[in-house]
Amino acid sequence: MPRKVAVIGVGNTTYTSVKKENRERSEIAGACIRSALDFVGRGLSLSDIEAVYYSTVDGFEGVQRPERSMDCFGQSAGTAVFTVNTGGTAGGSAIKDAYHIVAGGLYDIVLVYGCCTLLAAVDVQQILNTASPPLIEKPFGIGAVHLGGFYLSRYQSEYGTTAEDFALVAAKSHKHAVNNQYAHVRRGYTVEQILDSPVICHPIRLREICPVSSGSCCLILASEEKARELSDTPVWIKAMSCISDTYLVGYRDFLGFPMLKKLAQKVYQEAGITKPLEEIDYAEVFNPFAGFEYLQYDALDLCKEGEGPKLVREGVTDLGGKLPVNLSGGTLCTNSGVAASVTRHAETCLQLMGRVEEERQVKDARVGLAHSWGGPMGQFNTLAIFERD
Amino acid sequence: MTGRTIKKEWTLDLDFSAPMGETYTRFVEGLKEKMFLGNRCGERTFFPPKPFCDRTLEAAGEWLQSDGTGTVEAFTVIHEKSKGVVFPDTEHFPEVPYILGVIRINGSDQCLIHFLSGFDNDDPQAWPEKIQVGMAVRPVWSEKRSGHILDIKYFEPCE
């Protein structure tokens, strides 16, 4: 029987633009882990961490095996360090791996570190382009935003989604990021301001695209025994899994997120969820391009296909609605690479612990969902269901 | 704390060379002759061809030939080009705005990414209105072909 596993601690740093960043990368990590230890309190120290899961993306940090140069993981006390690399989802994948290893009884206290992977690369597209197969896809210079364009233009042609619909869901994230001390872009852009921004990659506008952020996020996971000892608000992992899509981008038909749909069915079944909109109290989904939220609503079975804009117009996924989504501002307002995939889980746990700013705190949230997407070309999805006592 | 920091710059300049295998070799050689080759793997057909079926690992069977005509499954119009990227093996990478399409060649079970063009260049804003999912497109071949996916300059509407 797997053991119960809880998230007991969340660590964050301040988030800023990569251009303005003046901290060295292990300095950021050290501060982030310090804040997670302080979050738990009760004398928890670095030497109590038995293993660290370091999540990163190939090439983004400009060094081979970046975890080797990080001396802030308690290696001197004998901590085991593992690296998980599934592109943008690496944070989600690392949480899943850490969950499994604690559930399996090998370790009691494990830290998952989401690195600020965008810190060093002068132009991330240079590295993304090396992720494409050289013969068939590399010559087209495909990056994440182009994928976003394919998915969203297909959604638009299928359901007649308007530019206003896309701006509406972007504005929801921007509005709430204003109240999130850990958000990078906190301008509160309105629908009109979003529509005023130029189209970068049809149908995606500038203010519907995430920034390039620095900063990092980590989680501390613990076995049931340790969680009860160290926390009054443990958030239990009810179910968590991941799924892989095609490597070549051209092999997909871009109609919705079928792999996420498949993953959701599996994870919901494991968590005993049959009516997600009724049973889940808070969700963080990975929205580097604001319109992705609509495709995720479909895949997560929150609405009939194509009806996402209706949910947003009716406030169902806003604060006070049936299932508030991305009240942190989401990846749209803060994207420090792999850290952003850890942040989705951190934010959901913080909501369930009742530890976010009052202005965006969902009352009595008990069941939460966290999702990450990446690959670097959107190959992977991870999905987790959390529950507090 | 002063917030002062130096920035250390470095470049990774690395060389690679990897075999592409018989299937892809024959495919790109076909491009030189204006042939868009595909193949059958079990019940599925692939344009471009694949060495095996990704579902069953069944080895490729017979070769199939087409003129490269296909349908648009998805597209995007790119208005801003990444500044730092050098595409060493493409002589005619388009200037912005340009269109990328996901194209299903000859009913293939998996698609291909390529450029779409042949629309009114005076009015790029109207491109999204003119491109329909499912519309038929055909390849426009380069005069100078070297066995490269860009021996096809772009795909254009069949009318």
Side-chain angles (χ1 to χ4, degrees), chain B residues 137-151:
Chain B
V137 290
R138 65 181 166 222
V140 174
W141 298 90
S142 172
E143 288 303 312
K144 220 173 75 184
R145 295 183 299 279
S146 58
H148 190 286
I149 193 66
L150 287 178
D151 285 350

Side-chain angles (χ1 to χ4, degrees), chain A residues 90-132:
Chain A
S93 304
I95 295 167
K96 184 192 69 69
D97 284 2
Y99 161 51
H100 285 169
I101 209 149
V102 177
L106 207 59
Y107 298 115
D108 286 317
I109 304 177
V110 173
L111 182 121
V112 178
Y113 181 65
C115 187
C116 47
T117 34
L118 303 175
L119 192 63
V122 174
D123 186 334
V124 175
Q125 185 59 47
Q126 281 179 314
I127 299 149
L128 282 177
N129 210 45
T130 68
S132 294

Side-chain angles (χ1 to χ4, degrees), chain A residues 157-171:
Chain A
S157 74
E158 203 71 19
Y159 305 113
T161 321
T162 63
E164 287 76 13
D165 289 334
F166 287 133
L168 199 66
V169 72

Side-chain angles (χ1 to χ4, degrees), chain A residues 155 161 165 168 294 297 303 306-314:
Chain A
Y155 183 87
T161 321
D165 289 334
L168 199 66
Y294 291 145
Y297 291 174
C303 61
E307 289 193 354
K310 193 165 159 252
L311 286 193
V312 174
R313 275 196 297 273
E314 291 172 358

Side-chain angles (χ1 to χ4, degrees), chain B residues 25-62:
Chain B
T25 298
R26 185 159 171 195
F27 169 68
V28 294
E29 282 174 350
L31 294 175
K32 279 194 220 173
E33 312 303 321
K34 294 195 187 180
M35 279 192 302
F36 202 108
L37 294 174
N39 64 5
R40 192 184 304 282
C41 298
E43 290 177 352
R44 303 166 84 208
T45 60
F46 299 108
F47 292 89
K50 297 182 68 156
F52 54 84
C53 172
D54 57 299
R55 288 185 187 160
T56 62
L57 300 186
E58 197 171 342
E62 66 174 313

Side-chain angles (χ1 to χ4, degrees), chain A residues 21-22 61-62 123 125-126 129 135-136 139-141 146 149-150 153-154 157 199-202 249-251 254, chain B residues 3 5 10 24 50 73 75-80 82 84-85 87 93 100 102 110-115 128 133 150:
Chain A
E21 183 59 76
N22 55 32
E61 301 191 55
D123 186 334
Q125 185 59 47
Q126 281 179 314
N129 210 45
L135 195 70
I136 308 246
F140 301 99
H146 309 129
F150 290 147
S153 76
R154 182 77 201 257
S157 74
V199 174
I200 300 297
C201 202
H202 172 82
V249 173
Y251 286 179
F254 292 96
Chain B
T5 182
W10 73 97
Y24 293 121
K50 297 182 68 156
E73 293 291 319
F75 71 94
T76 184
V77 183
I78 290 123
H79 293 269
E80 216 170 87
S82 174
V85 186
F87 298 100
F93 199 86
L100 274 176
V102 178
Q110 289 180 331
C111 301
L112 168 83
I113 299 222
H114 214 295
F115 298 119
V133 168
L150 287 178

